[in-house]
Amino acid sequence: MSSSFFYYTLTYFLLSFCVIYPPTEFVSAGLTIKNIFFNFLGSENEFFIQYHIKRSIATLLVHSLIPFGYLLGLVFTRHYDAAQILLGNDNPWWFVLTLCSLIGPLYALVKILKWSLDDWASHPIAESLAVYCNNNTTWATVASDINIEFRRVDKISIDTNSITKVVVTDNWIIKITSYKLYFAHQSDTALIVNKSDTHALSPTTRGEVQYVNIEVKPTRSGATAFNIRLNALDFKDLQDRVSRPITVLDSVVFHRTLLERFIDTFKDQIAQNHLYETSQELDQCVGCMQVVSNVKLNKLCSTEPDESPNACVSCYCRPMWCVDCMAKWFASRQDDTMPETWLSSKCTCPVCRAKFCVLDVSYVRATHQ
């Protein structure tokens, strides 16, 4: 086979993966199923449930056509040598390969025709809604209620990845996936944070991203439990919108906000700095009045000449702050839009305004004479 056939195969499978699981570049460029078929899908804001029923149909059809598209592409891209091997009369398997590539689209058409019976009542989304029917109502009634709530501006929508999204309205928690939707009514649902995991953004940087796994367990008979995996920084948005308390297992530790994450990083950094020894009696932290002051600004860095206008200077204030309050003060003086620069930035002493960086913050060790 020619090298062009190899590159065609590699390119096709990469593009197919991008269709199934679109990367950020594809999403930004609008090369997604929902953007390509927007005329067929209609408005998500007006008819949320009907929109996602149509989207699931379009997604199933496109995904099922991927194998047949590969064989068809061999012919249209003029890979005659490869096409002869795979499809030519000399190869007795050509018919089998072509037939196998058509099984997916045929199966998808049969499923869609089955779903369409009785006004889409057998579609997986409609079946999930039917669980919440009361007093002889239909799934369409529940769908109408959700459509109304989705139009309201106070809903939240969190993209957990390029193919999964979580929507929270006044009464519903909805997880959107490629083929179906998972529903939980807030009045009879338990939410449990059962896992967290942390990943480095880059091997060469100190940046980290943390994810939490939330189990959503509806108590209604027939309803399906599901998991939500989202960035820990989105947890507070979710917590503020749901009416049910979110239980966090004792074994799970995570940063609910960007500030909490920075405070932990701040502590890790200054733990590497030299200790500041003092015989002075330490008072309560003037920031929180809850704990004894345990940090001192002590100029240790030498990254810039002393005559530089941006250079750190010595602070002569006695230890007055705890590490948490100092970290909060440091973060409050930084640019909110650029949290990745906070740790490498500078701040001024809350009392004397002496400029300092993270390298100049030392834990205090009391020495008794």
Side-chain angles (χ1 to χ4, degrees), residues 313 315 317 329 333 347-356:
V313 297
C315 172
C317 298
W329 168 261
R333 316 304 294 176
C347 183
T348 56
C349 170
V351 178
C352 70
R353 304 303 181 191
K355 186 171 291 186
F356 71 95

Side-chain angles (χ1 to χ4, degrees), residues 337-349:
T337 63
M338 300 181 65
E340 67 277 4
T341 66
W342 289 5
L343 204 62
S344 60
S345 298
K346 296 184 179 182
C347 183
T348 56
C349 170

Side-chain angles (χ1 to χ4, degrees), residues 116-134:
S116 65
L117 299 177
D118 194 19
D119 195 23
W120 302 99
S122 60
H123 190 281
I125 293 177
E127 290 180 341
S128 296
L129 288 176
V131 173
Y132 292 94
C133 291
N134 294 320

